[in-house]
Amino acid sequence: MVTEPGLNRDGRLLLYRAAQFIDRHGRAYPLSLESDKRGAEVAIAGGYAERLADDKHFVTVTEKGRGYIDALMRAD
């Protein structure tokens, strides 16, 4: 399993959910679950995701986050 310092289970789960949501719907992922909020803090701090400037309840996945998800799915 691919792991990096500072990205815990909640952070990995958030990245996966957000990437899937963005691919399906073409818009930012809404933070609605408590685990999403905990994961968002970790993912944002690590540079894997970022909050929207105009609405802090939505996140997008950065290029670093996309690369991490791709590596995780390939089990590199």
Side-chain angles (χ1 to χ4, degrees):
M1 177 178 219
V2 177
T3 59
E4 286 201 19
L7 193 58
N8 63 11
R9 181 181 180 277
D10 289 335
R12 289 190 303 270
L13 187 57
L14 171 83
L15 281 180
Y16 180 76
R17 284 183 182 158
Q20 293 294 316
F21 184 89
I22 292 167
D23 290 345
R24 286 187 186 129
H25 302 287
R27 58 187 173 94
Y29 180 74
L31 298 174
S32 57
L33 303 174
E34 189 61 35
S35 63
D36 285 347
K37 293 173 186 172
R38 287 190 311 266
E41 297 306 319
V42 172
I44 290 167
Y48 299 96
E50 60 187 10
R51 291 186 188 273
L52 293 184
D54 57 339
D55 192 343
K56 300 295 183 184
H57 295 99
F58 288 86
V59 295
T60 59
V61 179
T62 64
E63 289 298 317
K64 181 179 179 181
R66 284 284 179 181
Y68 181 81
I69 289 294
D70 290 343
L72 188 64
M73 293 294 110
R74 287 192 314 263
D76 286 349

